[in-house]
Amino acid sequence: MTAFIVFKGIRYYMKKIELLSPAGDYNSFLAAISCGADAVYLSGDKFGARAYAKNFSKEELIKAIDYAHIFSRKVYLTLNTLLKDEEMGEIYDYLLPLYEAGLDAVIVQDMGVISYIRKVFYDMPVHASTQLTITGIEGIRLLENLGVTRTVLARELSMKEIEYIHDNSNMELETFIHGALCYSYSGKCLFSSLAGGRSGNRGRCAGPCRQPYNDEYLLSTKDICSIDYIPSMIKAGICSLKIEGRMKSPEYVGKVTAIYRKYIDYYYDNITKMSVKEISDKFFTGHEFNNDKNILIKLYTRGGNSSGYYYKHNGREMISVSDASYKTEKEENKDIDFTNNIKMPLSAFVRIYPDENISILINNEFYYEGNKALVAKNRPTDSETVLKQLKKTKDTEFEFTDINFDIAKNAFVLLSDLNELRREAINCVRNELTKKYKRKSDFNRNTIVSEMSDESIKDQAFGNNSDLDKDRSISDSKIVINCEITNYEQLKAAASSEYVNGIYIPFILCKDKNIIKSLRESNKKVYVTFQSVCRHNYLNINKEEIVSLFDYIDGVLADSHEVIQFFKDNGFNKEIIGDIHIYTLNKEAENMYYDIGVSKLTVPVELNKKELYKLSLKHSEIIAYGYLPMMVSAQCVNNTCFSCDKVEKTITLKDRRGAKYFAVNSCETCINTIYNNVPLFLKGEQDFLRKLKVNSIRLSFTMESELQIKEIINYFAKCIILGENCDTELLTDMYTKGHLNRGVL
């Protein structure tokens, strides 16, 4: 737990909260450091969630790490995308030089990457990305068990939820305080991927939420500005305040950082003198604060800003309904250069005597000797000459501010020797200040390869992209059909088929144990399902009722880490099936989930056939039919368009090309799901399904009628179970096969 002391009945934390700023290029990095960031998050040329930012070369990354460490700041690398199996072999060479340079942490989404780093770069901290959609203490416990040291929480959490997580875990908690806000829970969005082939999970989001639907920008959230909540965030136990903006300019990064730095410092400068309320009343109100806040909002705004989800679950006022475009106003003081290096002041004592090595003592600590001084033949070297050469530190992190001399009257030094003395002395100081951060890896490629027994795994892990699907034979093992339903009418249709093996039933229907009992009596397996996001309050309130189902059900379909850990915590010893947002694009991720207790996985929907063949899929289920969820949101289209009437309904969203998507609100959990405009339908893919060697297919029903459900079940029963010719005349011709043929970027 974080240590804290109590003052005037209010606790505050001994460790000062971190201000974490973004950097899309080196100039933005300099702006963040010079304007007061405690840490900077950035990306190299691979695996970052902002693939279209300028990003950093390897040399720039190492330079940034050293620069930050000189000033006791930190650098975090974003490796927060999902990696395909053939990309896993690139991690070692990518991270090794940064690890050895002293990289402070890696921000990760992919569970396979977490597993890999914890094994190979085991002493480097791993921060769980907000893309993992962690919303509760259960998800935190799961990550703690994996060795994750910090979690970037889902943006949708309230201050109360954050404080609860802090008080009941040892995890460092990071939250976003300023910048762009996604409509969907981060990590639960497949819109850009399914609609355009550019995956947000791989850093290439095309921003479909910023487009008009029904002639309004119903999915475009305003940027957040939460500077008012700094005292509350510190009190809640948040350890790091994160500014969004790796696609934005150095001016934006510098100004936003400077203003947040100002008010964080105000808080800590006064916490021993007054209460949190008094600080808020004095420093977080009034003309100066309002002026600074207005500057923040004018830097970038989408129809105004909101204060985020800390004290509000959703609302139309959080959406830029009339205009999704960014607007910005330039400051009048355009002469400010936010990319200037900040300088570390150095004191120096220089000694120059003939026939002795010239020497310099810096800060009474660092000593360096140069070449020998000579006896002056004509004009001896004076202090002004030495001073002029030592002051040439413009391109470094240092400047000499206090220089003393002991120069013999007959001494002479070449200017080139003085310049070399300056350069080498500064390098000496730089090396001394940064060496405590440096590491040496005890792993290498050969070590890792020797620990892999399967030659095909070695090939994939280290870049040998052989066609592994050439020799993949069609499996003769039986494939069963499972159905996922959303209401009682669909349940009846699925249960009436002799070909259906198991049925996934929403928790709200499972409360009627007579339904479960009748299904079990008809030899149907029963699995309980929950919403894609299950926050702690919901699980806790329903804990007794959920646990009471354990003896009646065969398993759970879990689409969140909270549900996985909840069932584990409560002793569930049957099937835990990872759903569509439990991402396993590589074998390392597959194995990680099996290791933590998941018994079956859903085949990734963002991989093509060739990529899927490279996975083991030994205990997997593929979705063969269904409207796939494009977005899962805490916002509500019904509330935005009309009002919160607490009535569940389906609203059609028509884009500018006429495509119609379906938004369905769940009032029980206050979750809004937007589904694709056409269903995924693996028509004619029976050979592929057998070749993939999955053990089950899933038919996912959302808005289908009883007749449609029966037709779809019969189609797959004929072509998968009975091996007959398949009649598709009664089925829709408007469908997609997802990414089976094209894949994603």
Side-chain angles (χ1 to χ4, degrees), residues 195 211-213 654-661:
Q211 301 303 316
Y213 299 90
K654 186 169 73 171
D655 70 14
R656 53 189 176 173
R657 294 183 178 86
K660 295 179 180 180
Y661 304 91

Side-chain angles (χ1 to χ4, degrees), residues 186-251:
S186 293
K188 301 284 188 182
C189 185
L190 295 169
F191 206 144
S192 177
S193 172
L194 295 174
R198 287 169 52 179
S199 173
N201 282 316
R202 290 175 52 78
R204 294 172 171 84
C205 180
C209 55
R210 306 302 180 188
Q211 301 303 316
Y213 299 90
N214 301 351
D215 299 321
E216 291 187 295
Y217 296 93
L218 299 175
L219 309 182
S220 180
T221 47
K222 296 177 181 178
D223 279 25
I224 59 169
C225 177
S226 305
I227 193 168
D228 314 62
Y229 301 150
I230 288 174
S232 301
M233 291 173 172
I234 294 172
K235 180 177 178 293
I238 296 168
C239 81
S240 181
L241 300 181
K242 188 170 194 173
I243 298 167
E244 182 278 334
R246 283 197 293 124
M247 299 287 286
K248 295 180 178 132
S249 68
E251 290 76 14

Side-chain angles (χ1 to χ4, degrees), residues 16-21 31-39 73 177 227 230 234 241 243 253-269 284 292 296:
K16 195 171 185 178
I17 201 166
E18 176 184 87
L19 179 60
L20 177 58
S21 296
I33 295 293
S34 65
C35 291
D38 298 303
R73 316 293 178 85
I177 194 172
I227 193 168
I230 288 174
I234 294 172
L241 300 181
I243 298 167
V253 172
K255 196 65 178 179
V256 173
T257 299
I259 292 176
Y260 276 94
R261 174 83 275 153
K262 175 180 177 180
Y263 288 96
I264 290 171
D265 290 346
Y266 269 167
Y267 178 91
Y268 285 101
D269 289 345
F284 290 82
D292 286 340
L296 286 175

Side-chain angles (χ1 to χ4, degrees), residues 722-738:
L722 302 177
E724 299 178 359
N725 292 328
C726 306
D727 181 9
T728 61
E729 290 183 4
L730 298 178
L731 299 176
T732 178
D733 288 328
M734 298 294 293
Y735 65 91
T736 176
K737 291 189 180 181

Side-chain angles (χ1 to χ4, degrees), residues 23 63 111 126 200 238 246 265 283 310 335 337 345 455 459 570 600 603 624 627 634 650 653:
K63 181 181 176 182
M111 292 288 274
V126 174
I238 296 168
R246 283 197 293 124
D265 290 346
F283 295 110
Y310 292 107
D335 56 323
D337 183 2
E455 291 299 323
D459 289 340
N570 288 281
K600 181 186 285 188
V603 172
Y627 286 89
T650 299
L653 296 173

Side-chain angles (χ1 to χ4, degrees), residues 64 68 93 123 271 302 383 413 427 502 582 609 637 644 680 687:
D93 288 339
D123 58 341
I271 189 60
R302 280 192 177 99
S383 60
V413 181
N427 283 336
I582 301 299
K609 290 180 180 178
V637 174
C644 180
L680 175 75
D687 286 348

Side-chain angles (χ1 to χ4, degrees), residues 191 212-216 218-219 627 636-638 641-642 648-656 658-665 672-678 703:
F191 206 144
Y213 299 90
N214 301 351
D215 299 321
E216 291 187 295
L218 299 175
L219 309 182
Y627 286 89
C636 178
V637 174
N638 180 50
C641 292
F642 307 106
E648 297 189 1
K649 59 189 70 171
T650 299
I651 295 177
T652 301
L653 296 173
K654 186 169 73 171
D655 70 14
R656 53 189 176 173
K660 295 179 180 180
Y661 304 91
F662 309 100
V664 181
N665 59 308
N672 195 85
T673 305
I674 298 174
Y675 292 93
N676 202 359
N677 60 320
V678 292
M703 53 200 79

